[in-house]
Structures are given as C-alpha cells and as structure tokens.
Amino acid sequence: MESKKALVLGCYGQDGSLICKSLLEKGYKVIGLAKAKINNNQRHVELNIQDDLEIVEADLRDLSTLTEVFNSNIPDEIYNFAAQSSVGLSFEKPIATIESIVNGTLNILEIARHSSFDGKLFFAGSSEMFGDTQIRATITHSQNPKSPYAIAKQASYNLVKLYRNIYNIKCVTGILFSHESPYRNKNFITQKIVNGAIKCSTNKKTQIRIGNMNVFRDWGWAAEYVEAMQLMLKAETMKDQIICTGELNSLEEFIKLTFEKLNLNYKDHITSEEILFRKTDIKYSCGDPEPITKDLKWKAKFHMNEVIDKLLEYQIKNN
Ligand code: NDP
C-alpha cells in the first residue's frame, strides 16, 4: 500500500519540526513547506530528520507557488503552522503577522475548495483569541483577542469553521495553549528563563530583566500536542478542539521552580520591570482538557513541573 502523504506548512518551526518527525516515524511521506530553506533547518538536524523529507520553499502568502506545491504533491493531510508566532512582535509587525496567518490560511483553504480536496486539514489556532480566561476555556468561551496576532488567529479559526460548514472541507482548528520544547523560539519567555537560570548557576552574578511575572498560563509539552493534532484528523467527525493541560500556574511559579531545581533563589537574579510589560497583557489563560479527553482519549501527561525538568535536562546536556 502506498504511504500516506502529509504537507506540513511552517515545517522548520517548533511544532512543524516535531510533527514531521512524528509523521515520518508513522511511515508518512512528508513534504515540508518553508519560507526559506537556507540556514533554517537546525531543528531538523537536531531531530535527525533532515534527509527524510522533501522541503519546498514557498511563502504561504503566495497563492500561485502554493497552488503549484499542492498540485504536485496532493496530500492526505495538511498541517498549517505557518505564522509570525510572537504576540509581542505582532504589535511591531501587524501587517506581516496578519498576512502570514489570515492570508496564508485563506490561501490554503481556497486551494482546497477549488481542487475539491478530499484530504484533511489542521490549523494551529491559539488560546490568545480568548483573551483572559477566568475559568478553564472550552470552545464556546467568549472571545476577546488583545493583539494583532490573536485577531489573526481568531479570524483564521472562523475561516476554517466557515469552509468546513459551507464547502464541506474536512478542516479543523486545534486551539493551542502554550506548549514548550527545546525547539521553541529562543525569544519566548520560558526559553529565556530556562537558559537564564542555567547561566545563573555557572555565573552567580547574572541578572535577568523580565516583564510581568504575575501572569498565569497553562504550559504543556509540544511533542504531546502534535500527537493530539494528528488524532483530530483521524477522528470520524471533524471538530475543533482545545489542546491544553488544564493546569494554571503563574510565570513567577515557573521561574521559582526552575531556579529551585538548580538550587538557586530567583530573587537574587530576576528583576521584573514595568517598562517591559506588554501593552495588553492577558492575566489568566487556561483551557479545559475534558472535551478532547472524552472525544479523542488524549490527555497531557506532562504539566509545568515535568516541562521544566525536560527543558533543563536538555539544555544542561546540550550547553
Ligand atoms: P514557530 O514560530 O516555531 O513556527 C512557525 C513557522 O512558520 C516558522 O518556521 C516560520 O518561518 C513559518 N512562517 C512564518 N511566516 C510564514 C509564511 N508567510 N509562509 C511560510 N511559513 C511561514 O511556531 P510554533 O511551532 O511554536 O507554533 C506553531 C503554530 O502554533 C503557530 O502557528 C503558532 O502561532 C501556534 N501556536 C503556538 C503556541 C506555542 O505555545 N508554541 C501556542 C498557540 C499557538 P520563519 O521562522 O522562517 O519565519
């Protein structure tokens, strides 16, 4: 039997790299789409998959190139991660952010519509579209996006739903809460904390400046989340899902625990400075994992404590 074919958009990012590895292990033929091929495959090299998939260079905003890629590699499954994925940067680059997420998603949906695509499509949505979640968010939680990034994710989530309902395209959104791995972009706060703490353990004079520590997040492990995404496409009914752990912790707790694991007191090294606070910080962001557990039997095994252990273990080994 011919192996299944998957097209991974944003294949060089954290989730893109991890899902490529997971799909290859399951015997898929994987085609990765990258905005730029050159000097960008470090994660694939670390995961030792650099020779196992075909990489095509295309910007998701470029409909004609994307159509060519699609027509020469008609996939069974498409995973769309391509995005300018930093909330902070989206205030500085709103056009690039919205174009990469909304136009990119619309392009792939339009290609699916015009080609009567019979496969399945996953879109990486974001918990940011909810804004603050005072209670664990389910799919029907009120939406209050507070950044250009969140607005783009909300619009794309609605487009995916529209194309599913109107054109019967088999497409779904996984609304992702924060998920980490050693492959996360280095500018994300969790990477800054873990790498900073390791530096503090070797150089006791190290000082780290950060923004608001009084924000609460639901942190999970990326390698588990990419398995949930695949289960969503295997399901009989195409249904949007929240992918999360359901555990809420403050950034201060994340920092304290990370430093404690290295026998350090974070108060000796970390300063929280108001000048670094975001314009519109979300205070609480937590999801309800019960629906996905009930529907797909998926449950996060790793919560904040284990996530920190795994990040520290990797960084200490590879520093
Ligand atoms: P990354 O930033 O690591 O990966 C995104 C990838 O998309 C990058 O490789 C980037 O390439 C690529 N990309 C950006 N713009 C374009 C474009 N116009 N055309 C083609 N490719 C493009 O993100 P993650 O892997 O962490 O996240 C995966 C997805 O999940 C993203 O959509 C993100 O917004 C979403 N998400 C992630 C969360 C998390 O905690 N990680 C939480 C919630 C949602 P380049 O680097 O060259 O720009």
Side-chain angles (χ1 to χ4, degrees):
M1 208 173 81
E2 210 178 298
S3 54
K4 278 197 166 189
K5 210 184 274 181
L7 181 60
V8 177
L9 315 172
C11 71
Y12 280 154
Q14 169 187 263
D15 291 2
S17 302
L18 288 168
I19 210 163
C20 284
K21 184 168 175 71
S22 168
L23 289 164
L24 286 164
E25 281 169 358
K26 295 186 177 91
Y28 277 70
K29 175 174 174 9
V30 180
I31 298 113
L33 185 134
K35 206 167 68 180
K37 265 190 190 177
I38 300 167
N39 295 335
N40 220 354
N41 73 340
Q42 308 89 318
R43 292 177 177 112
H44 287 209
V45 172
E46 280 188 52
L47 291 164
N48 199 21
I49 55 169
Q50 72 277 19
D51 300 324
D52 300 340
L53 71 160
E54 186 185 328
I55 302 285
V56 286
E57 195 171 308
D59 193 306
L60 205 57
R61 294 168 291 182
D62 173 1
L63 181 60
S64 63
T65 312
L66 207 56
T67 308
E68 270 172 44
V69 172
F70 181 90
N71 286 338
S72 49
N73 295 287
I74 294 186
D76 299 287
E77 295 174 10
I78 303 174
Y79 295 90
N80 178 15
F81 301 113
Q84 186 303 98
S85 69
S86 156
V87 175
L89 200 60
S90 78
F91 287 98
E92 283 162 44
K93 297 188 168 180
I95 297 175
T97 303
I98 289 181
E99 281 185 358
S100 68
I101 299 174
V102 183
N103 297 18
T105 304
L106 188 54
N107 280 345
I108 196 73
L109 287 169
E110 274 292 272
I111 292 170
R113 174 164 83 98
H114 288 295
S115 63
S116 308
F117 176 54
D118 193 34
K120 295 178 175 177
L121 191 159
F122 173 89
F123 169 66
S126 169
S127 56
E128 290 280 327
M129 81 173 183
F130 295 129
D132 268 287
T133 59
Q134 299 290 345
I135 53 166
R136 286 171 159 193
T138 58
I139 207 86
T140 54
H141 194 280
S142 60
Q143 296 176 14
N144 183 17
K146 290 182 171 183
S147 62
Y149 169 83
I151 289 167
K153 288 290 183 182
Q154 182 195 37
S156 302
Y157 160 76
N158 282 312
L159 281 168
V160 169
K161 197 156 69 168
L162 187 80
Y163 273 63
R164 184 172 68 231
N165 293 337
I166 307 279
Y167 303 120
N168 288 322
I169 292 173
K170 295 178 199 120
C171 51
V172 284
T173 299
I175 300 168
L176 308 169
F177 282 71
S178 298
H179 49 285
E180 311 297 321
S181 79
Y183 312 107
R184 188 107 204 247
N185 282 335
K186 298 288 169 256
N187 56 344
F188 276 86
I189 186 68
T190 42
Q191 295 289 325
K192 198 171 161 181
I193 301 301
V194 170
N195 292 323
I198 292 171
K199 211 166 159 198
C200 293
S201 69
T202 52
N203 178 355
K204 302 278 185 254
K205 285 191 184 139
T206 307
Q207 290 296 317
I208 303 163
R209 296 166 64 230
I210 63 160
N212 191 357
M213 287 197 283
N214 196 22
V215 292
F216 295 74
R217 295 288 181 268
D218 176 333
W219 281 291
W221 189 241
E224 288 197 295
Y225 284 29
V226 302
E227 297 305 318
M229 297 167 193
Q230 294 169 62
L231 287 176
M232 285 177 67
L233 295 196
K234 297 269 172 302
E236 250 170 58
T237 316
M238 289 288 97
K239 188 175 167 190
D240 300 326
Q241 297 281 359
I242 303 265
I243 306 183
C244 65
T245 69
E247 185 181 291
L248 190 65
N249 289 289
S250 72
L251 182 59
E252 187 163 10
E253 284 162 332
F254 188 105
I255 295 169
K256 184 168 179 281
L257 193 56
T258 307
F259 277 71
E260 275 173 5
K261 285 177 190 283
L262 296 171
N263 299 317
L264 297 167
N265 181 349
Y266 77 100
K267 290 188 176 161
D268 296 334
H269 301 279
I270 298 268
T271 47
S272 165
E273 296 184 12
E274 222 162 295
I275 196 168
L276 299 175
F277 283 25
R278 275 212 192 120
K279 290 183 190 77
T280 53
D281 247 337
I282 291 175
K283 185 150 187 179
Y284 301 104
S285 182
C286 187
D288 183 350
E290 272 184 44
I292 192 166
T293 303
K294 186 166 162 270
D295 292 343
L296 304 178
K297 316 254 174 304
W298 180 89
K299 196 171 185 207
K301 287 191 204 79
F302 305 123
H303 292 203
M304 184 183 78
N305 183 37
E306 295 80 22
V307 167
I308 295 173
D309 281 340
K310 283 172 162 290
L311 290 176
L312 281 172
E313 188 190 337
Y314 178 92
Q315 292 304 346
I316 290 167
K317 213 162 100 194
N318 291 283
N319 251 348

